[in-house]
């Protein structure tokens, strides 16, 4: 063990003591040892999503799909609809694909080895480590963005945490400091990263291990971690058609592959030019009944920004329906998986229907 780690060996105990006093009501932590299925679902939901936002989604998910078996045999449309609002819909698809594999290969029980877990769709090194340590009590690390941030500050790591060298260095430190039981420690680190050691403005005055933190002692807590900046998301203009008939809206199902696959949306045109998106929308779907948009909204994905506008359209030609083009009432479209921000438009558009 390195001198740096030896000199700080008591910080682990301080962290565990702090975490044990927290009163965080998290539905996936109702008992110990944890339910492996609950740990798995919660960790997938928590990717790119705040804890408080996840709670109601997790409760609804477990109510609809209480076991791996229930998830494996559910309709994909129901799975996507239940996930609606969390974004990154491939996470939901992978959950179901993995559940089907767990059901067929492991009798509905999540496997207890890292290699088997990481072979399942959507389960990477972090999620596997979380399941193994938290649910199965194994001494396994679970290194995500929170842990990279905490250790870069704690040990003054100046390598880029988004690059392999920085990740390897921190993972080694985590392995060296990992106590038994590892699951409780990993949960404590998660709590610290979500509550105290947050990005940009860490709450060092409330941190139970601040005196063991190199970044805090050196006044570098706001400059660490070092992290590669992401490319700015590309901006697009999305014109949406609100076409009504018999108190229903026309909706279109997206392709089975690609962004927002198999989700339903209002007919739309997307383009880098705002004028062209609107022009092409009217040519394709009919004549506008209102030259101005009646709804606007900007939605940020991880790699794109959609500047959306919606228009009332009078259909010009007879619309030929098929499996990917249907009429839905407001009651009906609240039960289908809606593509990203189209759910927001659908909620707003209800007031137009009588």
């Amino acid at each position: 063990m390195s001198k740096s780690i030896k000199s700080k060996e008591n910080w682990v105990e301080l962290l565990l003591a702090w975490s044990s006093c927290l009163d965080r009501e998290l539905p996936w932590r109702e008992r110990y040892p944890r339910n492996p299925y609950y740990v798995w679902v919660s960790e997938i939901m928590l990717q790119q999503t705040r804890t408080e936002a996840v709670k109601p989604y997790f409760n609804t998910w477990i109510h609809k799909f209480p076991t791996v078996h229930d998830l494996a045999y559910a309709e994909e449309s129901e799975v996507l609809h239940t996930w609606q609002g969390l974004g990154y819909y491939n996470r939901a698809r992978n959950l179901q694909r993995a559940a089907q594999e767990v059901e067929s290969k492991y009798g509905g029980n999540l496997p207890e080895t890292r290699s088997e877990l990481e072979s399942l769709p959507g389960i990477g090194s972090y999620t596997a480590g979380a399941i193994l340590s938290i649910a199965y009590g194994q001494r396994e690390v679970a290194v995500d963005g929170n842990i990279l941030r905490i250790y870069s500050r704690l040990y003054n790591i100046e390598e880029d945490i988004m690059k392999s060298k920085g990740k390897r260095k921190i993972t080694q430190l985590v392995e060296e400091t990992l106590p038994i039981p590892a699951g409780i420690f990993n949960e404590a680190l998660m709590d610290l990263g979500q509550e105290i050691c947050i990005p940009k403005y860490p709450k060092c005055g409330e941190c139970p291990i601040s005196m063991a933190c190199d970044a805090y002692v050196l006044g570098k807590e706001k400059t660490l971690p070092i992290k590669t900046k992401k490319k700015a998301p590309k901006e697009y203009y999305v014109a949406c058609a609100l076409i009504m008939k018999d108190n229903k809206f026309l909706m279109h199902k997206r392709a089975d592959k690609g962004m927002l696959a198999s989700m339903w949306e209002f007919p739309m045109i997307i383009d880098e030019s705002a004028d062209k998106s609107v022009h092409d929308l009217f040519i394709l779907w009919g004549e506008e009944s209102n030259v101005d948009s009646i709804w606007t909204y900007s939605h940020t994905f991880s790699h794109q920004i959609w500047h959306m506008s919606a228009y009332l359209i009078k259909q010009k030609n007879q619309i030929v329906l098929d499996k990917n083009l249907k009429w839905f009432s407001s009651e009906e479209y609240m039960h289908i998986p809606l593509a990203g921000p189209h759910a927001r438009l659908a909620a707003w558009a209800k007031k137009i229907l009588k």
Side-chain angles (χ1 to χ4, degrees), residues 42-55:
S42 66
E43 290 300 337
I44 299 299
M45 286 187 170
L46 286 165
Q47 295 171 12
Q48 313 292 335
T49 312
R50 295 179 301 104
T51 302
E52 289 304 313
V54 163
K55 287 182 182 179

Side-chain angles (χ1 to χ4, degrees), residues 134-181:
I134 297 171
Y136 292 134
Q138 298 183 26
R139 191 175 183 274
E140 292 279 353
V141 299
V143 179
D144 69 348
N146 281 324
I147 280 67
L148 290 171
R149 182 171 63 253
I150 291 169
Y151 272 76
S152 73
R153 288 170 174 163
L154 193 60
Y155 290 99
N156 189 30
I157 305 300
E158 296 188 326
E159 280 87 358
D160 189 328
I161 66 169
M162 300 306 293
K163 295 183 178 178
S164 57
K165 183 180 179 181
K167 288 181 179 179
R168 282 198 305 269
K169 189 169 186 177
I170 290 175
T171 299
Q172 182 179 350
L173 283 168
V174 178
E175 289 172 345
E176 292 178 8
T177 54
L178 192 66
I180 298 174

Side-chain angles (χ1 to χ4, degrees), residues 225-351:
I226 295 171
K227 189 175 180 181
T228 304
K229 290 185 179 180
K230 294 181 179 179
K231 291 183 179 180
K234 194 167 184 177
E235 299 189 47
Y236 292 95
Y237 294 89
V238 179
C240 304
L242 297 180
I243 305 172
M244 293 184 290
K245 179 182 179 182
D246 299 329
N247 211 33
K248 294 185 176 185
F249 280 120
L250 185 68
M251 304 200 82
H252 168 258
K253 189 177 182 182
R254 294 175 68 91
D256 293 337
K257 295 183 179 180
M259 185 176 178
L260 300 171
S262 302
M263 311 288 281
W264 288 88
E265 65 188 3
F266 292 92
M268 64 174 245
I269 296 293
I270 182 169
D271 199 276
E272 294 182 38
S273 164
D275 290 341
K276 190 172 186 304
S277 67
V278 176
H279 177 264
D280 290 352
L281 184 78
F282 293 151
I283 289 178
L284 183 63
W285 291 106
E287 300 174 354
E288 70 271 27
S289 59
N290 187 331
V291 293
D292 297 319
S293 62
I294 59 173
W295 178 87
T296 59
Y297 177 68
S298 290
H299 184 85
T300 301
F301 296 96
S302 60
H303 59 298
Q304 294 183 10
I305 297 176
W306 284 8
H307 299 294
M308 303 178 70
S309 56
Y311 300 83
L312 280 174
I313 301 287
K314 291 181 179 178
Q315 66 180 90
K316 182 165 51 178
N317 303 310
Q318 182 66 29
I319 294 174
V320 179
L321 302 181
D322 57 31
K323 65 178 183 178
N324 297 324
L325 196 64
K326 296 182 180 181
W327 297 100
F328 288 98
S329 68
S330 60
E331 290 78 15
E332 291 169 335
Y333 68 54
M334 297 308 288
H335 297 284
I336 59 174
L338 294 169
H342 284 267
R344 186 180 292 265
L345 175 55
W348 179 89
K350 287 175 66 175
K351 66 182 182 181

